[in-house]
Amino acid sequence: MGRGKLRIYLGAAPGVGKTYAMLSEGRRRVERGADCVVAFVEHHDRPRTEALLDGMELVPRRSLEHRGAAFTEMDVDAVLARRPAVALVDELAHTNVPGSRHGRRWQDVEELLRAGIDVVSTVNIQHLESLGDVVESITGVRQRETVPDEVVRRADQIELVDMSPQALRRRLAHGNVCRPEKVDAALSHWFRPGNLTALRQLALLWVADRTDEHLRQYRGEHGISTTWQARERIVVGLTGGPEGRTLIRRAVRLAEKGAGGEVLAVHVARGDALGAASPGELAVQRALVEDLGGSYHHVIGDDVSGALLEFARGVNATQIVLGVSRRRPWQYVFGPAVGTTVARESGPDLDVHLVTHDAAARGRGLPAARGARLGRTRRLAGWAVGVLCPVLLAVLLTHTAAGLGLANEMLLFLALTVTAALLGGLFPALASVGIGSLLLNYYFSPPTHRLTIADPKNIVALAVFFAVAVAVASVVDLAARRTQQAARLSAESEILSFLAGSVLRGEDSLDALLERVRETFAMESVALLERADGNGWTRAAGVGPAPAARPEGADVDVPIGDRMALALSGRALPAEDRRVLGAFAAQAAGVLDRQRLLRQAEEARRLAEGNRIRTALLAAVSHDLRTPLAGIKASVSSLRSDDVEWSEEDRAELLEGIEEGADRLAHLIGNLLDMSRLNTGTVVPLIRPTDLDEVVPMALGGVPEDSVELDIPESLPMVAVDPGLLERTVANIVENAVKYSPAGARVLVTAGAHGGHVEVRVVDRGPGVPDEAKERIFEPFQRHGDAPRGAGVGLGLAVARGFTEALGGTLGAEDTPGGGLTMVLTLPAGGPAPVGTPYRPSPAGDGTTAEPKRQKAGPQ
């Protein structure tokens, strides 16, 4: 039994018609004779969508009870027992009611697919896990129901259901998306034109990326190396030189001229010794291209032009952006520039842009770190000049009608010797000296065509020529080597300076440091290994494909003490590279130790905070909790006393004391429990759009009547909060304000909208708080000033701030003009209110969930 096929209708926004499209596809399959059933569909009372269900087989849903209410979910067992060929399952990102077979509906779908059943499903773009932060920044609403991107990417078919923002808003206004009473709120919140346009662009780009993956797979399977210009993709070649930033900005401007353009910056590192580029400059350029929305890539290859073209064709690039060479004119004797070679070999499918810049033709300067060895191409060129060119020069001079004279001929051969030394070093130059001396003796020193010299003066001349040529070759070679050594030392000092600077800056990203090692030494992968108590090696961190698991499995390993090692895979390194590599290894070990120390310090801080809270809790238990208990105990003992006859008034007073003490205990214990939940991170809010005028009045149950004045405008937008947490937050703030307000002064609770937030202000006329203590009052077990004992343990405002931060808002204190304190509670504005029962998406399909109406909680 094979795996079933998954087809997904991806909605660009709620209400575009993805459920309608799914049901239409189901009806077409039924008409073609396919065994298709409706496993689960939410039609949201939309008549045209509901009409498509007529005549289709519906699998009965499973009923579940949660929090005293009944709900229905897809019955996976019933679908498996029915075993249709095709099942229609709506809302892939839906969260199932607790007690269901799986927690999420996409997991139900996975089980159906494993059973060999084809599934047609729907999902909106805002429910993809990777886009959660982006959607929240656009709409201001965090999606609580999400589906992993990989689940959607594995679908056999994805069809985008799209609609222009104007058309969708018209559908909404006509009542085709949600109930008429919710239309105005929806149009002014979630369904704003800007929101819909941004969501539409997200959907188009996401589908385009997946199409691009299929295109790359197809080209790879069919061995297609030519570029298919289906999408503008621009490759920027970086050398690590100063022109890189100019090239990146120019490439980004080219990409912005067409929709969906992509920029890929690539640095090709040679495989011989330290990388030739400046590590600091490459880091700046990498950050720049990523800030501008592009990506950075590191490629290893001795043939820079070939590696660059291979990379560009591998990513199906359409354009290559390179800088004009920094070589001086005479340096072209060593070969053509990279840009010239790339332009010549790119072919008709790749456009090459050569961009001018300030450093063009000003010289490349010293190679950053090529080492003392010359490249293979230069050595071959040196031997060619040293061996072949003297022969060609001799042939040319022998065919010249008028001889130039032995002195001039010696100078020409000496020039070839110097050129051979510059290109290939000492040994090609010595070969040039030997061959040149023999040719001068044989062809140009009488008697010619014999290896004898008749004139003693010519013997001296040839001897001087030989000595001078050897000396000049030695000096030129020594100067070249010293230049290369100076360049290498300069590169090493730059790298060591970078490492020292990272220590001073306190940088603690181990992966970034290992990536720097990989790029600097042109390696394939780097791993930091650690051995614990002789029990084998473990990988503390690693970058690149397949990092080594043991030092023996790497091409290069650098021990760091007795317990750690830096392992590099890709090629062997010369001995002179190990000094810099040792500095990197020591820095990596230091970063790892620093990370662990920071974690230990954080753990110690948490333990110290826990000890402080426990100490304060003991103090609270010793007095603040025992005081109401003592009052309750005394009142109960008095009522149970048989030797005292209590009047009705006395009994009522004692019972009132018991009730007040119990309320104080409930309030104190509630705050202690809330503080414990905040410290352990178990507060998980259920965010949904909520009206303030529904929550704030319920929060006033714990304060005396007529002690608070409410001013909550009905025109305020909804807030995206958990109603229960918001109620407790407001209750604690108001109770604190009433406690410190003078007798007869009412606390004012007012609210207003500011940008994308709603601000609630609780104003009292109490003694106020000095500026230096305004933050301290939000710490646990803090009571400002001369607060009387028994007035609480100082947790109310700490709990309020903790709940506010869990809701994504802020809570601060300001001075009230004329005296007093004003608490400012800022909450994120939400979208349209959801309709229906818990764990059901709202009619707008925005993925938020409703929950049962909370009962009046009051202070706890």
Side-chain angles (χ1 to χ4, degrees), residues 103-422:
R104 309 294 291 277
R105 184 163 294 161
W106 64 266
Q107 295 171 320
D108 296 338
V109 169
E110 283 292 315
E111 184 171 356
L112 298 181
L113 294 173
R114 288 195 297 269
I117 300 173
D118 294 346
V119 176
V120 182
S121 188
T122 66
V123 70
N124 279 333
I125 189 66
Q126 71 264 22
H127 295 302
L128 296 182
E129 182 68 41
S130 65
L131 300 178
D133 294 337
V134 179
V135 172
E136 182 180 13
S137 65
I138 293 171
T139 64
V141 177
R142 181 68 179 184
Q143 299 299 318
R144 297 294 168 180
E145 292 187 323
T146 59
V147 60
D149 289 46
E150 185 59 28
V151 173
V152 182
R153 288 184 181 276
R154 285 201 305 263
D156 299 275
Q157 297 182 56
I158 297 179
E159 184 170 335
L160 179 64
V161 184
D162 189 21
M163 182 178 293
S164 70
Q166 294 77 13
L168 182 54
R169 284 171 61 84
R170 283 196 299 271
R171 287 196 63 198
L172 190 70
H174 294 159
N176 296 329
V177 177
C178 62
R179 297 178 181 178
E181 64 270 16
K182 300 295 182 181
V183 169
D184 291 338
L187 287 173
S188 60
H189 291 86
W190 180 271
F191 290 88
R192 292 194 300 267
N195 288 0
L196 297 179
T197 302
L199 292 173
R200 189 185 192 194
Q201 185 177 19
L202 281 177
L204 292 171
L205 291 176
W206 194 91
V207 173
D209 285 339
R210 188 176 186 276
T211 304
D212 201 51
E213 291 177 6
H214 289 174
L215 181 61
R216 284 198 299 269
Q217 181 180 357
Y218 178 85
R219 283 162 48 84
E221 292 173 351
H222 292 78
I224 300 173
S225 59
T226 57
T227 300
W228 287 5
Q229 299 186 3
R231 181 179 181 184
E232 205 67 36
R233 184 173 281 112
I234 302 173
V235 170
V236 186
L238 300 180
T239 65
E243 77 281 0
R245 306 181 201 184
T246 302
L247 301 183
I248 292 171
R249 294 188 179 98
R250 180 64 59 85
V252 170
R253 290 199 296 271
L254 288 173
E256 289 175 348
K257 292 181 179 179
E262 184 179 359
V263 175
L264 300 90
V266 58
H267 169 62
V268 180
R270 296 183 183 273
D272 54 349
L274 292 176
S278 166
E281 181 62 28
L282 271 181
V284 172
Q285 294 174 14
R286 179 175 191 163
L288 175 61
V289 71
E290 291 174 350
D291 288 344
L292 295 177
S295 58
Y296 178 87
H297 304 268
H298 181 75
V299 177
I300 301 172
D302 291 329
D303 182 5
V304 176
S305 304
L308 188 61
L309 286 170
E310 183 180 356
F311 175 83
R313 293 193 175 103
V315 299
N316 199 29
T318 58
Q319 301 180 56
I320 298 178
V321 176
L322 299 172
V324 173
S325 178
R326 287 180 280 139
R327 293 182 181 182
R328 296 188 186 277
W330 63 268
Q331 290 178 310
Y332 285 96
V333 70
F334 301 132
V338 172
T340 304
T341 305
V342 171
R344 184 180 66 246
E345 299 179 0
S346 61
D349 55 346
L350 267 173
D351 296 335
V352 179
H353 301 266
L354 293 179
V355 179
T356 58
H357 49 85
D358 294 338
R362 293 190 176 183
R364 300 179 61 181
L366 298 177
R370 288 285 305 278
R373 301 179 307 279
L374 298 172
R376 180 172 178 269
T377 303
R378 285 192 58 177
R379 289 199 305 270
L380 292 176
W383 281 105
V385 171
V387 175
L388 298 179
C389 287
V391 176
L392 296 177
L393 179 60
V395 172
L396 179 63
L397 291 177
T398 54
H399 288 79
T400 303
L404 299 178
L406 184 60
N408 292 328
E409 291 160 350
M410 286 183 177
L411 289 176
L412 291 176
F413 278 95
L414 183 61
L416 290 179
T417 299
V418 173
T419 303
L422 287 172

Side-chain angles (χ1 to χ4, degrees), residues 449-710:
H449 303 292
R450 293 176 61 185
L451 293 177
T452 58
I453 302 174
D455 190 349
K457 295 180 180 179
N458 290 340
I459 296 177
V460 175
L462 286 175
V464 170
F465 165 78
F466 186 85
V468 170
V470 171
V472 169
S474 301
V475 170
V476 170
D477 178 72
L478 182 61
R481 289 179 179 275
R482 290 291 183 265
T483 299
Q484 296 290 346
Q485 290 171 3
R488 178 182 182 82
L489 292 174
S490 175
E492 290 183 2
S493 65
E494 182 178 1
I495 293 171
L496 295 175
S497 175
F498 163 78
L499 290 176
S502 64
V503 173
L504 294 176
R505 291 189 297 269
E507 296 178 359
D508 55 359
S509 176
L510 187 56
D511 288 342
L513 180 63
L514 296 184
E515 182 66 26
R516 179 79 64 191
V517 175
R518 190 174 77 92
E519 294 178 2
T520 300
F521 294 94
M523 305 300 286
E524 293 180 0
S525 62
V526 180
L528 181 62
L529 306 177
E530 187 176 20
R531 179 166 50 194
D533 301 328
N535 295 327
W537 293 92
T538 59
R539 188 186 301 122
V543 296
R550 296 179 58 83
E552 298 82 4
D555 295 305
V556 181
D557 68 282
V558 179
I560 312 172
D562 298 330
R563 306 170 65 88
M564 300 182 70
L566 189 66
L568 293 80
S569 302
R571 62 187 180 85
L573 288 180
E576 57 265 28
D577 285 350
R578 289 185 172 264
R579 181 174 62 174
V580 177
L581 187 57
F584 271 112
Q587 175 71 353
V591 169
L592 180 61
D593 291 341
R594 188 160 58 248
Q595 288 180 345
R596 291 175 175 172
L597 288 174
L598 288 174
R599 287 196 294 267
Q600 292 174 3
E602 178 63 21
E603 181 65 22
R605 188 197 63 78
R606 292 178 60 252
L607 291 175
E609 179 67 16
N611 288 333
R612 189 183 70 83
I613 291 178
R614 280 192 291 272
T615 302
L617 178 60
L618 290 174
V621 170
S622 66
H623 187 280
D624 294 282
L625 295 181
R626 292 180 62 184
T627 299
L629 280 175
I632 295 173
K633 173 66 174 175
S635 298
V636 171
S637 298
S638 299
L639 289 174
R640 289 174 55 87
S641 177
D642 296 333
D643 56 353
V644 179
E645 187 69 28
W646 301 102
S647 65
E648 289 299 326
E649 294 180 358
D650 293 335
R651 292 177 62 85
E653 185 177 350
L654 289 173
L655 290 174
E656 184 180 357
I658 294 173
E659 184 177 12
E660 290 178 355
D663 288 342
R664 286 176 58 191
L665 278 177
H667 182 71
L668 292 173
I669 294 173
N671 278 335
L672 288 171
L673 292 176
D674 289 339
M675 200 68 227
S676 175
R677 292 169 60 202
L678 289 170
N679 286 332
T680 56
T682 57
V683 176
V684 182
L686 178 62
I687 303 296
R688 66 181 179 91
T690 305
D691 282 319
L692 278 179
D693 55 5
E694 294 179 0
V695 176
V696 174
M698 297 176 62
L700 307 181
V703 297
E705 294 184 7
D706 298 329
S707 63
V708 178
E709 178 183 350
L710 280 180

Side-chain angles (χ1 to χ4, degrees), residues 735-756:
E735 288 173 12
N736 184 78
V738 171
K739 183 192 307 180
Y740 287 97
S741 292
R746 303 176 70 184
V747 172
L748 173 63
V749 180
T750 182
H754 301 277

